Amino acid sequence: MSADTQTLKPVDLRSILTFTVKLARTAGTLILEGSQAIQTTSDVNEKKNSVDLVTEYDVAVEELVKSEIAKAYPSFKFIGEESYSSGTRNELTDEPTFCVDPIDGTTNFVHGFPFACISLGLIYQKRPVLGVIYNPFLDHLYTGIEGQGSFLTRGNSQPLKLPLTNPKPLPSLQKALLAIEWGSDRGKKTLVPKSDSFLRLAGDPADGIAGGRMAHSIRSLGSAALNISMVAQGGLDLYWEIGCWPWDVCAGIVIAQEAGGAVVGSHAALAAATSAGSSIDPFKVTPDVLTGRKYLIIRAIPDTLNETGREAQLRIARDFYQTVEDGEPK
Ligand code: LIP
């Protein structure tokens, strides 16, 4: 790292990635131990309601990670889901900041559904620059560094560059496999428009579903980070959620972007970026997008004779936001 300890160069990020991968695998061992233990105990606690779950392992993993980061990078800042839940509020600065979800997919973790992970993102100058997402149940490790690509390592295999195959065109939502999440806001004001949106995304417009797009299907992996990783690898065409948090998406944003994916914020952010005369990049992940709790991530799409891949991603984003209803996270 350069003399100015807060200036990160690409070589510094590669060194930080080596540390972060080792830390993710150490955390993964604790997650697996916890998964065994949690099946025989009832040590599952609730945050804002009965579906917003937290366990002693969420807290223990975050404490482990925070402690190891403080030892290795004492000048870096830290934002963590469970620290935030216990009242810590760290303002986003230009300083290198780890943004961590110790167990993303806690509900899956509690139920023994093997789609839970640790998500370790690094924010620098207020943008995500490094991401590590590790699912210890499947031994799937996703990594990405800004400008240096993103990869999936399965078990002891060699890292595979993302996306895993050459991306195919995406003519319309009708040809898309989508990821969404129910989230933990289950009141009428949130869930009715969300359900109506899902109905339109899946519904047949020729058979009673007004505005239906009849997408190929809809999936929910139960983890924002793993949904985004699946978009990055090309197994999903897009993922949309209102209500998750920066720690859920920070690492995944880097991994998806490095795989050619596009990250969009709110309906309003997209509308502003695409309004007449705007020079805003609709896919720039500003601090407002990163912290805005409204995320749409679209997989890499190749250039064709009629449109560039970026034009295609923008077409899909606009079509998608014309189909679903906006809302406000609680
Ligand atoms: C989860 C997110 C998911 C969201 C859930 C929950 P957690 O994170 O990954 O996208 O729908 O409500 O927030 O709580 O398991 O770390």
Side-chain angles (χ1 to χ4, degrees), residues 52-53 81 101 103-107 181-184 222-225 227 239 241 244-245 248:
D52 189 13
L53 306 180
E81 176 174 7
D101 189 339
I103 301 180
D104 190 45
T106 296
T107 300
E181 289 292 340
W182 291 97
S184 53
S223 156
N227 283 323
Y239 158 65
E241 187 162 3
C244 53
W245 295 83
D248 294 313

Side-chain angles (χ1 to χ4, degrees), residues 198-221:
F198 300 165
L199 180 69
R200 277 194 295 280
L201 289 171
D204 182 352
D207 189 5
I209 306 293
R213 312 310 307 275
M214 205 166 174
H216 276 175
S217 197
I218 298 178
R219 300 284 184 267
S220 294
L221 294 182

Side-chain angles (χ1 to χ4, degrees), residues 284-296:
K284 181 175 169 62
V285 177
T286 64
D288 285 345
V289 170
L290 179 60
T291 61
R293 301 185 63 198
K294 298 183 177 184
Y295 308 103
L296 173 64

